[in-house]
Amino acid sequence: MKAKPTILKLGGSAITQKDKPLKVNRPVIENLAQEIAEANTPQLVLVHGGGSFGHPLAKQYAITDGFKDHSQIMGFSKTHDAMTTLNGLVVQALIQHNIPAVSIAPSSFVLTKSGRIEKMNSDIVTKLLDMKFVPVLYGDTVLDSDKGFAILSGDQLIAKLAIILDAEQIVIGVDVDGLCTADPKKDSSAKLIKHTDLKELKRKHSWIEKARVIDVTGGMYGKIIELIPAIEHGTRTTIVNATKKGTVRKALCNEKVKGTIIEKE
Amino acid sequence: MKAKPTILKLGGSAITQKDKPLKVNRPVIENLAQEIAEANTPQLVLVHGGGSFGHPLAKQYAITDGFKDHSQIMGFSKTHDAMTTLNGLVVQALIQHNIPAVSIAPSSFVLTKSGRIEKMNSDIVTKLLDMKFVPVLYGDTVLDSDKGFAILSGDQLIAKLAIILDAEQIVIGVDVDGLCTADPKKDSSAKLIKHTDLKELKRKHSWIEKARVIDVTGGMYGKIIELIPAIEHGTRTTIVNATKKGTVRKALCNEKVKGTIIEKE
C-alpha cells in the first residue's frame, strides 16, 4: 500500500533572515536539505513561507488588501519574483542533496476569493508524488476573484493540501521550539505545549501569541487557526524548531523530538 | 474595445549563450527589456525558450523521450530548475524596466499527452492580462499522461496561447534575421523570406533548415511547424532577429522591420 503523504512546512522565519530583506539563512537551508535527504520520507510535499523575501514587499505594496490602485501592480510583480527567487534557492539546495525537488508555483494554478483558496487543481502535485518527485510549493501572490489579488499563505496551502492529499502528517518547522503559553522570544516564563488537541486548543487559544515582527499572514496564532481544518481531517501536526539540528529529521521519521504535537483528539 | 493580445516569443538562442551551459546573453536581455518597455504593447504575453539553460540538461537526461528509468528523475528536477532560473533572470530584467512581469510556470498548470498539450487552464493568464500584467511563460519540463514527462516547447505553447487568447500577432525573436531559404549560419547563399503564407510555406518547406546546434524542440523547421495552427487561426506571425537592436520594438509596434512575416493567406 502506498504511504500517505507527509507535508513539511518550512517557515520563512527559519529559512530567511527575517529582519534582513531578501537574505536567506543559508546554514539552516543547507542543514534542512541534508536532514530531508536523510529522512528520505516517501510521498513528501514541501511548502515554504516568505520570510524576508515575501513579507516586506507584500507589506510595502499592501498586497493583502487586494487591488486598490495601479501603483500596487509593480508591487505584485516584485513580491512574486522575490518568492520565486527564494523558492529557487530552496529547490537548488534540495537538488544538491540529490532530492528530486520540483518547484510548483501556486500563483500559476491557484485562485482565491477574498483571500481563501477558491480554485486549486492539485492533479500535478499528485502526479509528481506518484512519480516520486518532491513538489516544492510556497506562500505566493495569487489572483483573487473578489480583491484582484491576494497573498496565499503557506499555512493555508498546507491545510488544503493535507485534506486533498489525505496526508498522514504535517511537520512545521519554525524558529521557536513549538507552540508556547506565551511568546518565548519576549516572555521568559513561556512554556512549551508538548501535546494538545483541538478541544484544548480552542479553550486555550488566548495563550497563543497573536503577532510577531512583520508577518502579513499572521504569527503563530494565524498558523494554528489555518491548520485547524487539516487537524479536524485527522492529519497529525508537529511543530518543531527548524533552526535546531536534527529536529526536522526526527519529526519526519516519527522519532521523539522537542516540539508541539497537535492531534484531533 | 480591448486590444487583442500580442505574444512575444524570445528564443533561447537569442537570450542565452547557446553553446555555454547556463549562461545568459545579458546585453540582449537588457536591451529587449528596454525595447519591450518602449513598445508598451497593451495585452502582452511573453514566452521564452530554454537555450543553454534547458536544452543541454534535457538532452543529457533524455527528458523528451519520457520516463524510462529512475536516473532521469533528478534530470527532470535539474532541467526544470534551470528553466525557472532563466525565467527569473528574464522577469527581473523586465521589472527593472518597470514592466509588471509575472512569471507563470507551465509545469504548474499544463499536462501533455505524448508531448502535446492535453490540459491547460489559461484562466490565470487571461486574468493577468485583464489586470495589465505581463505574464511570462517559458518552455518547460511538464508531466505527460503517456510518457510520464515531456518537454513543452515555447513554440508549442505560443501557438496554443495565440488560439486560446485570439491573439492579433505573434512576434518571434531569434538569432537570425528570419526564415531563410537555407541555414544562414552555414550557407552564404541563404536568402531571407520576407513574406510568406501557409500555402507557400507548405510548398517550400523543404527549404527550411531541419536542425541546428542542439535544440531538443527542433530548429527553425520545428518552430514553423508548431506555429501553423496559430497562423491558420489568423494570428499574423513576424520572425525577427532579437539580437539586433530595434527589431523587436519595431515588430511590436507594427513598424517596418527586417524579418519574415507569415500570414494565413
Side-chain angles (χ1 to χ4, degrees):
Chain A
M1 214 186 79
K2 202 169 71 173
K4 281 190 178 185
T6 294
I7 298 172
L8 171 60
K9 162 85 197 293
L10 299 178
S13 61
I15 62 169
T16 71
Q17 299 183 42
K18 208 161 183 182
D19 298 320
K20 290 186 185 166
L22 306 176
K23 291 278 176 209
V24 288
N25 193 333
R26 196 168 292 279
V28 167
I29 292 180
E30 284 297 318
N31 178 60
L32 286 169
Q34 176 69 31
E35 291 190 25
I36 294 164
E38 284 169 12
N40 197 20
T41 312
Q43 304 285 302
L44 180 68
V45 178
L46 216 144
V47 177
H48 64 79
S52 71
F53 281 70
H55 294 308
L57 284 164
K59 194 180 180 193
Q60 182 185 341
Y61 291 97
I63 304 299
T64 44
D65 294 349
F67 177 73
K68 307 267 180 185
D69 68 69
H70 194 72
S71 68
Q72 293 171 293
I73 294 291
M74 281 308 302
F76 182 96
S77 288
K78 287 177 187 173
T79 310
H80 177 50
D81 175 56
M83 285 308 307
T84 59
T85 300
L86 174 59
N87 180 250
L89 296 170
V90 172
V91 164
Q92 282 148 27
L94 295 168
I95 288 176
Q96 274 157 22
H97 286 82
N98 223 29
I99 297 161
V102 176
S103 161
I104 292 294
S107 49
S108 298
F109 77 107
V110 182
L111 287 170
T112 57
K113 184 177 169 69
S114 293
R116 310 302 306 171
I117 294 171
E118 183 181 33
K119 289 183 188 166
M120 170 168 150
N121 183 341
S122 59
D123 283 0
I124 289 177
V125 173
T126 307
K127 282 175 197 285
L128 284 169
L129 288 175
D130 285 346
M131 295 185 75
K132 304 194 193 311
F133 286 109
V134 175
V136 185
L137 298 90
Y138 48 101
D140 201 0
T141 52
V142 291
L143 297 187
D144 187 286
S145 59
D146 277 345
K147 304 197 297 176
F149 47 61
I151 296 287
L152 170 64
S153 74
D155 297 306
Q156 187 184 157
L157 194 55
I158 56 174
K160 188 80 171 180
L161 284 170
I163 295 166
I164 293 175
L165 303 174
D166 187 24
E168 180 75 28
Q169 186 180 210
I170 292 173
V171 174
I172 300 185
V174 287
D175 66 341
V176 291
D177 289 338
L179 181 59
C180 295
T181 54
D183 184 347
K185 291 188 175 172
K186 293 178 183 161
D187 184 343
S188 62
S189 73
K191 280 194 186 113
L192 180 68
I193 300 167
K194 290 182 180 170
H195 193 281
T196 187
D197 59 32
L198 272 188
K199 207 168 71 182
E200 197 180 35
L201 255 185
K202 287 175 182 169
R203 193 156 42 85
K204 295 187 180 172
H205 71 94
S206 62
W207 282 9
I208 305 165
E209 50 164 337
K210 296 202 177 180
R212 237 181 354 149
V213 201
I214 44 162
D215 184 342
V216 290
T217 62
M220 192 67 89
Y221 182 76
K223 285 183 203 304
I224 302 289
I225 295 290
E226 285 293 2
L227 289 172
I228 287 176
I231 299 164
E232 270 171 350
H233 175 80
T235 303
R236 184 181 67 254
T237 296
T238 308
I239 305 173
V240 295
N241 192 332
T243 68
K244 290 190 179 167
K245 283 198 177 176
T247 56
V248 165
R249 188 196 61 72
K250 283 179 189 162
L252 288 174
C253 295
N254 287 313
E255 292 175 16
K256 194 170 160 53
V257 61
K258 186 175 187 178
T260 302
I261 293 174
I262 311 175
E263 289 180 294
K264 189 174 180 180
E265 54 197 17
Chain B
M1 214 185 79
K2 203 170 70 172
K4 282 189 176 186
T6 295
I7 298 172
L8 171 60
K9 163 86 197 294
L10 299 177
S13 61
I15 61 169
T16 71
Q17 299 184 40
K18 208 161 183 179
D19 299 321
K20 290 186 186 166
L22 306 176
K23 290 279 178 213
V24 287
N25 193 333
R26 196 168 291 278
V28 167
I29 292 179
E30 285 297 318
N31 177 59
L32 286 169
Q34 176 68 33
E35 291 191 23
I36 294 163
E38 285 169 11
N40 197 20
T41 312
Q43 304 285 303
L44 180 67
V45 179
L46 218 144
V47 177
H48 65 78
S52 72
F53 282 70
H55 294 308
L57 284 164
K59 193 180 182 194
Q60 182 185 342
Y61 290 98
I63 303 298
T64 45
D65 294 349
F67 177 73
K68 307 266 179 186
D69 68 70
H70 194 73
S71 68
Q72 293 171 291
I73 294 290
M74 281 308 300
F76 181 96
S77 288
K78 288 177 186 173
T79 310
H80 178 50
D81 175 56
M83 285 309 305
T84 59
T85 299
L86 174 58
N87 181 250
L89 296 170
V90 171
V91 164
Q92 282 148 27
L94 295 168
I95 287 175
Q96 275 158 20
H97 286 83
N98 222 28
I99 296 160
V102 176
S103 161
I104 292 294
S107 48
S108 298
F109 77 107
V110 182
L111 287 169
T112 57
K113 186 177 167 70
S114 293
R116 310 302 306 171
I117 294 170
E118 183 181 30
K119 288 182 190 167
M120 169 168 150
N121 182 341
S122 59
D123 283 0
I124 289 178
V125 173
T126 307
K127 281 176 198 287
L128 285 170
L129 288 175
D130 286 346
M131 296 185 74
K132 307 196 191 309
F133 286 110
V134 175
V136 185
L137 298 90
Y138 47 101
D140 200 359
T141 51
V142 291
L143 296 186
D144 186 285
S145 59
D146 276 347
K147 303 197 297 176
F149 47 62
I151 296 287
L152 170 63
S153 74
D155 298 306
Q156 187 185 155
L157 194 54
I158 55 173
K160 188 81 172 178
L161 285 170
I163 295 166
I164 293 174
L165 303 174
D166 188 24
E168 179 76 28
Q169 184 179 213
I170 292 173
V171 174
I172 300 185
V174 287
D175 66 340
V176 291
D177 289 337
L179 181 60
C180 295
T181 54
D183 184 347
K185 290 188 175 173
K186 290 179 183 161
D187 185 343
S188 61
S189 74
K191 281 192 185 114
L192 180 68
I193 299 168
K194 290 182 181 169
H195 193 281
T196 187
D197 59 31
L198 271 188
K199 205 167 75 182
E200 197 181 38
L201 256 186
K202 285 175 181 169
R203 193 156 42 86
K204 295 187 180 173
H205 73 93
S206 62
W207 281 10
I208 305 164
E209 52 164 335
K210 295 201 179 181
R212 234 177 3 145
V213 201
I214 47 161
D215 183 344
V216 289
T217 62
M220 193 65 89
Y221 182 76
K223 283 182 203 305
I224 302 291
I225 294 290
E226 285 293 3
L227 289 172
I228 287 176
I231 300 165
E232 271 172 349
H233 174 79
T235 303
R236 184 181 68 255
T237 296
T238 308
I239 306 173
V240 295
N241 192 332
T243 68
K244 290 189 179 168
K245 282 197 175 175
T247 56
V248 165
R249 188 195 61 73
K250 283 179 189 162
L252 288 174
C253 295
N254 287 312
E255 292 175 16
K256 194 170 160 53
V257 60
K258 188 176 187 178
T260 302
I261 293 173
I262 312 175
E263 289 180 295
K264 189 173 180 182
E265 55 197 13

